[in-house]
Amino acid sequence: GTVNVLGDADVLINGGTIDASGATGGGVIRIGGGWQGREGLVAAQRTGVAPDAVIRADATEQGKGGNIAVWSEQKTITVGLLTARGAGTGRGGDIETSSHGYLAVRNAPDIHGGSLGGAGGSWLIDPRNITIVGGEDDPSSYSSATTDVGTQFDAIADDSTIHVNTILTALESNGTVFVTTEADGNVAGDIRLATDLDYGNISGTGTLNLFAVNNIVFEGGVYNSAQS
């Protein structure tokens, strides 16, 4: 099935579970707007998924994971769990966490394929500028939607950040991570790797793709320390 949670102002998922899972395949979930803000759906200005929230579009017996988009025009903060797992030989689903403005993702989505050899799915990260920074962010540090995610709506920024270990966690699913940008006014649409990306300690065979509308700047290395 399909679940749409839409509004033209703020959409904040404080807790609970939104579930579009199915035996033979996951469904479609749209939080705050359509895929990349398209599909003719109403777009929220600001969208938040708090730590206690679960958004699930899994295949449960045999089939492909579903399709989830979390979108906003100004600011998206995603801390809760997004999952679009495949089942059996089915591949993982497709998940987008994006904004036409600022994006903060503090928990890697689950895009694993099925346990009988299903390939991993895909994760699309698409803000304006974005910097990949060192370390990892602890989702449990966001104690509640009201005091943490909700109050962060107040400030709008152009330069998004994501922790490198969040990306590495997603790559362990054997899926594909896409980091893309777009330009808007005075915002160039750069991707900046401000830390080393060492994929030697992950067991998966995922693929990372960087597509910037402007510059891709490497301030750190990309390497496999297990082979050095």
Side-chain angles (χ1 to χ4, degrees):
T2 299
V3 178
N4 293 327
V5 184
L6 306 171
D8 59 6
D10 291 347
V11 173
L12 178 58
I13 311 300
N14 282 318
T17 300
I18 297 173
D19 197 340
S21 300
T24 58
V28 175
I29 299 176
R30 297 292 183 258
I31 308 295
W35 190 270
Q36 293 189 299
R38 300 167 185 165
E39 302 181 303
L41 299 177
V42 173
Q45 294 303 302
R46 299 179 292 189
T47 300
V49 180
D52 293 334
V54 177
I55 299 174
R56 190 182 303 279
D58 299 332
T60 59
E61 295 181 12
Q62 167 60 44
K64 179 180 178 296
N67 186 290
I68 299 171
V70 181
W71 170 265
S72 75
E73 289 293 308
Q74 294 184 2
K75 191 168 192 175
T76 298
I77 300 174
T78 303
V79 188
L81 175 62
L82 310 181
T83 171
R85 295 182 66 99
T89 57
R91 69 178 290 271
D94 303 301
I95 294 179
E96 177 186 16
T97 54
S98 298
S99 176
H100 193 59
Y102 174 83
L103 172 68
V105 181
R106 299 296 181 249
N107 199 3
D110 188 344
I111 51 173
H112 281 82
S115 60
L116 299 180
S122 71
W123 178 23
L124 172 62
I125 305 161
D126 184 18
R128 293 179 183 174
N129 293 339
I130 188 166
T131 300
I132 302 171
V133 298
E136 58 186 317
D137 198 6
D138 181 7
S140 66
S141 65
Y142 293 79
S143 59
S144 71
T146 302
T147 59
D148 294 308
V149 175
T151 55
Q152 291 187 42
F153 279 175
D154 295 338
I156 300 298
D158 292 321
D159 296 320
S160 306
T161 61
I162 188 167
H163 289 77
V164 66
N165 282 356
T166 304
I167 292 176
L168 290 172
T169 297
L171 292 176
E172 286 195 332
S173 69
N174 301 326
T176 304
V177 177
F178 296 93
V179 181
T180 68
T181 63
E182 58 182 89
D184 184 9
N186 295 324
V187 180
D190 294 337
I191 297 174
R192 185 177 301 273
L193 178 66
T195 186
D196 289 339
L197 194 155
D198 175 11
Y199 57 92
N201 294 320
I202 64 173
S203 58
T205 57
T207 302
L208 174 62
N209 296 278
L210 306 179
F211 297 106
V213 73
N214 195 43
N215 296 318
I216 300 177
V217 180
F218 283 79
E219 297 172 353
V222 179
Y223 57 88
N224 182 348
S225 61
Q227 296 180 352
S228 59

